[in-house]
Amino acid sequence: MITIDFPERHEEMAILKENLPFADDQVLTYVTDFLQHAHASDERYTVRDGVNIARFALKMASMESVAPSHELLRVAIEQTLGEEALRYVPGR
């Protein structure tokens, strides 16, 4: 069996920036914080999940012609990973 650790915070942020060059730092930081909280509890959410969350939130913001907000990111987390993932939302 091969075990791969979760990425460090700076690595995760770099991966998100690479995949989401159009996202602002507030979105990337929020998603990175979410993933780091989940990793601390051995939750198996991946950076790919983070990319999907950010893209979904950015798409909702674009459709509503608003800036991405923490509330849209929470909705994106819930819709992407399910309600149980909300326990890892930053600042809860």
Side-chain angles (χ1 to χ4, degrees), residues 28-58:
L28 299 176
T29 298
Y30 188 95
V31 173
T32 301
D33 289 347
F34 166 77
L35 291 171
Q36 290 294 303
H37 281 98
H39 299 333
S41 296
D42 282 333
E43 193 66 58
R44 299 226 176 262
Y45 301 142
T46 65
V47 177
R48 176 58 51 201
D49 293 321
V51 169
N52 291 332
I53 290 164
R55 283 186 177 153
F56 188 33
L58 292 168

Side-chain angles (χ1 to χ4, degrees), residues 12-86:
E12 217 153 42
M13 180 66 93
I15 294 167
L16 290 171
K17 281 184 181 184
E18 182 69 28
N19 284 279
L20 301 159
F22 45 84
D24 65 33
D25 283 342
Q26 178 185 353
V27 170
L28 299 176
T29 298
Y30 188 95
V31 173
T32 301
D33 289 347
F34 166 77
L35 291 171
Q36 290 294 303
H37 281 98
H39 299 333
S41 296
D42 282 333
E43 193 66 58
R44 299 226 176 262
Y45 301 142
T46 65
V47 177
R48 176 58 51 201
D49 293 321
V51 169
N52 291 332
I53 290 164
R55 283 186 177 153
F56 188 33
L58 292 168
K59 181 168 256 187
M60 286 188 294
S62 172
M63 291 175 66
E64 296 177 16
S65 298
V66 297
S69 65
H70 288 185
E71 185 56 37
L72 286 179
L73 285 157
R74 286 177 56 87
V75 170
I77 289 168
E78 183 177 13
Q79 294 296 311
T80 303
L81 300 174
E83 186 176 343
E84 64 277 0
L86 293 175

